[in-house]
Amino acid sequence: MTALRIATGVPGTRILGIGSAQPENVVTNDDLSKIMDTNDEWIRERVGIVERRFAGEKDTVVSMAVEAGSKAIAAAGLTPADLDTVIVANCTTIAPIPNAAAQVADLIGIKAAGGFDLNAACAGFCYALGVASDLVRSGSSKRALVIGSEKLSDIVDPTDRSTAIIFADAAGAAVVGPSDEPGIGPVAWGTAGDLVDMIGMTEERNIYQEGQSVFRWATTKIAPIAMQALDLAGLKPSDIDVLIPHQANLRIVEAIAKKLRKEGAREDMVVADDIVTSGNTSSASVPMAMDHMRAAGRIHSGDVALLIGFGAGLSYAGQVVVCP
Amino acid sequence: MAEKPTDEEILAGLAEIVEEVAGVEADEVTAEKSFVDDLDIDSLSMVEIAVQAEDRFEVKIPDAELANLKTVGDAVTYVSKNA
């Protein structure tokens, strides 16, 4: 038989633009202490969070994804017609059909987009970025919109101080397109199946986690995954300008940074700490942290950033990217 | 560690770890002290202490065991029995 024709790929991919969206409603630690047994000092010491945003009635996974995605397209200097693929990483939509990606594509105006949702919990954005990069590199997509959007307030028991103080709502997005010089490294991903029950949902559809076990895993196993992502990209720890771990808990972020510095990462490496004012927003946290740091002038175009997501599954994914 | 450490060596090692993790002076870390009530160490710091103690003394300290290690002396005894 005749050999099948395959798509013509491109030499590399890069992030062309990023954007993020948060609800207006700011909730401080003092606000939370009025409805549960906690206080500002306790929360700051345990997780490093000072305030977070909770969705209002009009805010949904889709609406926040549309806002973040639209900003990312504009930041890339593109229009919706320039894109053909939408991936929405999320684990908090209440109705699985229609999927969020199809709704987002329709609302933004990306016609006939290939669209699907991807659930790898808090690692979702880095998983989706890896998939999108490979779709573009192989020629299956010309440009892809990758979004992490979460409304965790829908799946948190508001009186449970072990989760309600941590999780929050937001979206972050990136446009991935072709590049002669590679600007997105290979993804290092996987799951730790023996820890599959460490984070999950109760019968009442509320999130739970085994805090100590997850903390142990994140503070000991994630830095080696980050090293693997660096190695796949052919870089050394000293090459990292910016470290953007999933914003799970400031103490986990600091532990990962400390381990990487022991491996040779620079003291002046910028470390994302967006959790302080945004809380833990699952798959939205990595792109939103990057967007906030860019807006604050803490990272610049061309900086080498190491992204690493980790969460329920337990799942993890990391890659090196060049900041747009 | 080639030879099994003595209780004094375990206590001294734990004190160093507690100082590094929680900023409590090593001299303060004595057998009768409670991690939570006397040394003000929270549940996540206990995990960090356990991870470092595992490396140092070649012992496994599962998360489920942490709740039983109320005092520094409890931890010394656990490490001594399991190292």
Side-chain angles (χ1 to χ4, degrees):
Chain A
M1 67 176 257
T2 313
L4 298 185
R5 183 162 57 206
I6 57 170
T8 305
V10 295
T13 58
R14 66 186 177 96
I15 295 176
L16 304 173
I18 51 174
S20 64
Q22 281 178 294
E24 288 175 6
N25 182 25
V26 176
V27 178
T28 65
N29 293 341
D30 288 339
D31 294 334
L32 291 178
S33 70
K34 288 170 193 148
I35 53 173
M36 70 186 82
D37 178 21
T38 190
N39 62 65
D40 182 53
E41 185 188 356
W42 195 92
I43 297 174
R44 285 183 195 229
E45 280 180 5
R46 296 304 187 290
V47 293
I49 299 170
V50 172
E51 62 184 39
R52 77 286 287 145
R53 308 273 186 114
F54 286 163
E57 298 235 330
K58 64 179 180 17
D59 304 307
T60 64
V61 166
V62 169
S63 73
M64 292 186 288
V66 166
E67 184 183 340
S70 300
K71 287 178 180 171
I73 295 169
L78 299 170
T79 67
D82 297 315
L83 286 88
D84 60 15
T85 303
V86 178
I87 309 174
V88 179
N90 78 84
C91 58
T92 51
T93 44
I94 300 301
I97 51 173
N99 68 24
Q103 299 177 69
V104 170
D106 178 47
L107 289 165
I108 292 182
I110 303 172
K111 296 211 172 13
F116 60 96
D117 289 13
L118 184 157
N119 178 359
C122 301
F125 178 82
C126 293
Y127 265 85
L129 184 63
V131 171
S133 176
D134 284 355
L135 286 175
V136 172
R137 200 164 59 85
S138 65
S140 299
S141 165
K142 59 180 181 182
R143 285 179 206 89
L145 179 59
V146 184
I147 305 171
S149 184
E150 305 285 4
K151 191 177 172 188
L152 284 140
S153 58
D154 271 346
I155 62 160
V156 165
D157 173 353
T159 61
D160 173 8
R161 72 170 189 174
S162 73
T163 54
I165 62 161
I166 300 173
F167 295 109
D169 306 327
V175 175
V176 175
S179 171
D180 290 335
E181 288 283 318
I184 300 176
V187 66
W189 70 17
T191 51
D194 54 326
L195 300 172
V196 73
D197 296 328
M198 293 296 116
I199 306 173
M201 290 179 86
T202 63
E203 282 180 18
E204 295 79 32
R205 259 195 125 262
N206 288 321
I207 192 168
Y208 72 83
Q209 64 174 342
E210 301 293 339
Q212 283 185 314
S213 299
V214 173
F215 183 80
R216 183 194 288 246
W217 176 75
T219 53
T220 56
K221 305 295 187 196
I222 296 304
I225 306 297
M227 291 294 292
Q228 200 183 323
L230 275 176
D231 189 50
L232 288 171
L235 299 182
K236 306 181 297 298
S238 58
D239 295 321
I240 315 171
D241 299 313
V242 188
L243 174 66
I244 311 182
H246 164 50
Q247 301 290 292
N249 176 324
L250 192 61
R251 286 166 67 171
I252 293 174
V253 169
E254 287 170 350
I256 295 169
K258 188 175 169 187
K259 277 198 176 325
L260 290 177
R261 287 192 170 115
K262 275 191 183 161
E263 298 286 343
R266 304 193 313 263
E267 284 305 314
D268 69 352
M269 172 178 72
V270 176
V271 180
D273 56 3
D274 197 49
I275 185 168
V276 174
T277 51
S278 298
N280 175 340
T281 59
S282 187
S283 69
S285 85
V286 167
M288 178 165 68
M290 183 187 264
D291 190 41
H292 286 170
M293 291 162 87
R294 181 197 54 78
R298 293 178 66 197
I299 62 176
H300 306 95
S301 179
D303 281 354
V304 173
L306 175 58
L307 317 182
I308 180 106
F310 48 92
L314 296 176
S315 315
Y316 53 84
Q319 62 267 93
V320 176
V321 305
V322 176
C323 293
Chain B
M1 211 168 275
E3 284 182 32
K4 190 172 162 146
T6 65
D7 284 3
E8 288 71 29
E9 286 167 344
I10 295 169
L11 177 61
L14 282 174
E16 277 181 31
I17 292 170
V18 169
E19 178 164 358
E20 194 200 321
V21 169
V24 177
E25 287 205 19
D27 292 351
E28 297 288 311
V29 184
T30 49
E32 77 287 357
K33 294 274 177 68
S34 154
F35 285 110
V36 175
D37 298 331
D38 298 325
L39 302 176
D40 201 22
I41 287 167
D42 67 30
S43 63
L44 299 183
S45 291
M46 276 303 287
V47 173
E48 293 182 277
I49 291 165
V51 167
Q52 291 205 25
E54 286 186 349
D55 284 349
R56 185 158 184 152
F57 302 115
E58 295 179 12
V59 61
K60 282 274 164 225
I61 311 175
D63 294 322
E65 193 62 46
L66 290 178
N68 299 327
L69 307 180
K70 298 205 186 315
T71 65
V72 175
D74 294 340
V76 171
T77 304
Y78 179 87
V79 170
S80 178
K81 271 190 188 159
N82 294 280

